[in-house]
Amino acid sequence: MGLSMVHALFLTLFLLCLKTKAEDSSPTRKLAGACNLFRGKWVYDASYPLYDPSSCPFIDPQFNCQKHGRSDQLYQKYRWTPFSCPLPRFNGLDFLQKYRGKKIMFVGDSLSLNQFNSLACMIHAWVPKSRSTFSQRDALSKVTFEDYGLEIYLYRTAYLVDLDREKVGRVLKLDSIKNGDSWVGMDVLIFNTWHWWTHTGSSQPWDYVEVDNRLLKDMNRFVAYYKGLTTWAKWIERNVNPSETKLFFLGISPVHYQGRDWNEPAKSCMSETQPFFGVKYPAGTPMAWVVVNKVLKRIKKPVYFLDVTTLSQYRKDAHPEGYSGVMPVDCSHWCLPGLPDTWNQLLTAVLSA
């Protein structure tokens, strides 16, 4: 057995051990004393949603489920309620005043696009007549609220680390981040990656993995994810000044393709109209969450973990299902208005603390 295989096996077993500990005692992310924003329940709220999707110019069509024929609207009416403290309702005017002249960037995959669209719509609903613009070039998109000088960016990158086209083919480089120059100079950075690490076969966008100057045809995906995130963590340590930039990492966004995850094995997200209302989600803690948590605990600079995994696991009803206009069944992204609005409410609550 080669050394690389031994190392991968050791790390996998170590992560499994950590997973058991995580399920027994999940760490809390606190605001103001004992307040844990991420433990709570979903409650019906007739005043929701926070914006009308037909009035927001910033929703990517694949997230506009109403436009593509989803007739039920109950999934828009649930508000996240932490057990130990209230979650402040989003106030777009307060946000614009606080972040006047600032730059906020989401860095990650299409789930970062989901969250980027959501925040732009949440703000726009408060100032619908204010001047705003949208621009896009290559991996970078930007919404600017001109009257306030607020710029919200999205940098699309599936893995955070580099994916390069070379003579041998497409290479995922777990030890390299060359595009980080585009991320500097921001007042707030929100990172996310996991969705693409699990893809195989024709949906996998790389041919080789490069790690420690070696090319591999494949490797354990959790080990690869750990190595990629470790490279990102080193980039953070070298390039970000926390007195100038507030750092966030969005927790693992779950999928709902397998009904056995919530004890209904014959189902998927299709035609689901209500959240899971139990306290303990049957599928438990995802291994990817354990990897993220392990990496974040080792970073010396303050990165706030937006630990949205469990509250998102409950929302089997909130996906585009068959109403994205892109995928016949989409149980991985989220309708807008919808769950990413809560992610942004949590983000703004932390920023305001």
Side-chain angles (χ1 to χ4, degrees), residues 169-185:
R170 302 164 299 174
V171 181
L172 179 61
K173 298 186 174 183
L174 301 183
D175 302 321
S176 173
I177 294 178
K178 295 195 296 285
N179 296 316
D181 288 348
S182 300
W183 312 342
V184 299

Side-chain angles (χ1 to χ4, degrees), residues 17 120 130 329 334 350 352:
C17 178
S130 178
V329 178
W334 308 95
V350 176
S352 300

Side-chain angles (χ1 to χ4, degrees), residues 20-309:
T20 302
K21 292 180 180 179
E23 288 173 342
D24 291 341
S25 127
S26 174
T28 60
R29 297 295 181 265
K30 296 181 180 180
L31 287 179
C35 176
N36 182 352
L37 292 172
F38 305 104
R39 288 184 57 82
K41 63 182 179 179
W42 291 99
V43 299
Y44 177 82
D45 188 331
S47 71
Y48 271 49
L50 298 177
Y51 53 88
D52 181 347
S54 66
S55 300
C56 181
F58 305 120
I59 299 181
D60 191 283
Q62 66 179 309
F63 308 138
N64 195 339
C65 304
Q66 297 293 310
K67 181 179 180 179
H68 289 291
R70 181 165 178 173
S71 58
D72 69 297
Q73 297 184 23
L74 187 60
Y75 68 92
Q76 299 180 356
K77 298 288 187 180
Y78 288 101
R79 172 172 49 85
W80 179 246
T81 306
F83 291 135
S84 58
C85 52
L87 176 62
R89 191 178 179 99
F90 179 77
N91 186 307
L93 289 176
D94 287 350
F95 189 85
L96 284 165
Q97 292 296 346
K98 181 171 183 177
Y99 285 91
R100 182 184 290 271
K102 303 294 187 182
K103 297 179 179 180
I104 298 171
M105 178 178 277
F106 296 92
V107 183
D109 55 29
S110 52
L111 291 158
S112 291
L113 171 62
N114 232 174
Q115 192 177 8
F116 166 74
N117 285 174
S118 163
L119 183 59
C121 288
M122 290 167 68
I123 296 171
H124 181 267
W126 281 82
V127 288
K129 296 183 179 179
S130 178
R131 292 179 301 153
S132 58
T133 58
F134 172 80
S135 61
Q136 181 177 358
R137 182 176 180 181
D138 299 326
L140 191 64
S141 301
K142 179 174 73 166
V143 170
T144 304
F145 290 91
E146 303 281 354
D147 296 333
Y148 298 88
L150 172 61
E151 298 175 346
I152 304 175
Y153 293 86
L154 168 70
Y155 189 92
R156 286 290 291 270
T157 168
Y159 298 99
L160 299 182
V161 294
D162 295 333
L163 177 58
D164 292 341
R165 187 173 294 275
E166 301 191 346
K167 288 182 179 180
V168 294
R170 302 164 299 174
V171 181
L172 179 61
K173 298 186 174 183
L174 301 183
D175 302 321
S176 173
I177 294 178
K178 295 195 296 285
N179 296 316
D181 288 348
S182 300
W183 312 342
V184 299
M186 298 293 146
D187 297 286
V188 182
L189 282 170
I190 307 101
F191 291 94
N192 151 66
T193 182
W194 169 241
H195 181 73
W196 281 91
W197 291 86
T198 61
H199 286 213
T200 59
S202 60
S203 66
Q204 175 182 296
W206 49 266
D207 304 305
Y208 294 92
V209 179
E210 183 179 281
V211 58
D212 299 329
N213 295 314
R214 293 178 295 123
L215 276 183
L216 306 174
K217 194 63 181 172
D218 204 349
M219 66 185 297
N220 179 289
R221 299 308 174 90
F222 294 111
V223 175
Y225 186 49
Y226 174 77
K227 288 181 175 293
L229 282 184
T230 299
T231 298
W232 165 79
K234 291 176 181 176
W235 184 91
I236 292 292
E237 299 283 22
R238 288 194 302 265
N239 295 283
V240 179
N241 182 348
S243 67
E244 298 174 354
T245 304
K246 294 184 178 178
L247 292 163
F248 293 84
F249 195 96
L250 182 73
I252 303 301
S253 177
V255 299
H256 291 94
Y257 289 104
Q258 308 273 347
R260 65 172 180 263
D261 287 348
W262 60 93
N263 288 339
E264 294 186 273
K267 293 188 174 183
S268 70
C269 76
M270 294 294 286
S271 301
E272 291 294 300
T273 59
Q274 290 189 328
F276 174 84
F277 286 116
V279 175
K280 185 173 178 59
Y281 190 69
T285 304
M287 178 68 79
W289 182 96
V290 180
V291 176
V292 171
N293 202 49
K294 177 178 173 61
V295 173
L296 292 182
K297 283 184 174 180
R298 292 185 170 185
I299 297 180
K300 294 178 181 178
K301 293 185 177 177
V303 181
Y304 192 96
F305 185 26
L306 283 172
D307 192 5
V308 301
T309 299

